[in-house]
Structures are given as structure tokens and as C-alpha cells.
Amino acid sequence: VVKAANLSWTGPTLYVDGAAISATDQARITYTPYSGVSSTGPWTAGTVTAAGVLTATLPDPSAGSTRWYTVEATLDGMTGGKAVAASKSVPFRTPGVPVLVVQ
């Protein structure tokens, strides 16, 4: 069974220069989710979302490790910076204690 990290975010409401992004343009923004082994990458891109979609699914980290995730917005071919990275850790699953029977 492949487990997944479900990502969600809030889209930008301002351009880099501080001007407001109209609701019409916010609905046209696509997002590229990324995952990596540290908070600074290197990053592996996931599938670009449809316009206006604020969620994505990427693979979970493997057991006993941490994976980092980020996302960036693109509008009219212009891409902003990456969001602050967030992490998810998956612990090792340790088997329980066996029950010993001596006869």
C-alpha cells in the first residue's frame, strides 16, 4: 500500500511588487508541489495542479525518515518563489514483543 502526503496551501493574494492579484487571476494560478530530503532541497517536482487547485498529493517519506515539501505558484508563465518548506516524518514500525512458551 503506497501512502501519500496530502498537501494543501493558501494561494498568494499579492504580486511580488505588492499589487493585489484579482480573484479572476487567483483562479488561474497553477501550482507545482515539490518534495526533497531537506528543508532546502534538492527538490523533486510533482504534477502541476490544474488552475486554482490548492491541494496535491506526493509520496510519503520512507519508514524511519523525514521528507520535506514545498510549492510554488505560476501565473502567465511567471513563477514566484517557493513556499516555506514543511516536513513529514514516518517512524519505523517496530514489531511487538513475542510471547514465549516453554513446555
Side-chain angles (χ1 to χ4, degrees), residues 3 16 39 43 54:
K3 301 227 177 189
V16 173
S39 63
W43 299 108
L54 301 173

Side-chain angles (χ1 to χ4, degrees), residues 19-97:
I21 301 174
S22 70
T24 301
D25 284 346
Q26 286 177 22
R28 295 187 316 110
I29 295 174
T30 60
Y31 297 90
T32 304
Y34 294 88
S35 65
V37 296
S38 81
S39 63
T40 57
W43 299 108
T44 300
T47 302
V48 176
T49 69
V53 174
L54 301 173
T55 61
T57 302
L58 291 176
D60 251 355
S62 57
S65 68
T66 298
R67 194 115 186 113
W68 289 84
Y69 302 93
T70 188
V71 63
E72 65 185 8
T74 301
L75 178 61
D76 295 333
M78 301 300 293
T79 300
K82 288 180 177 58
V84 174
S87 65
K88 181 176 182 181
S89 298
V90 174
F92 281 115
R93 294 191 70 186
T94 305
V97 177

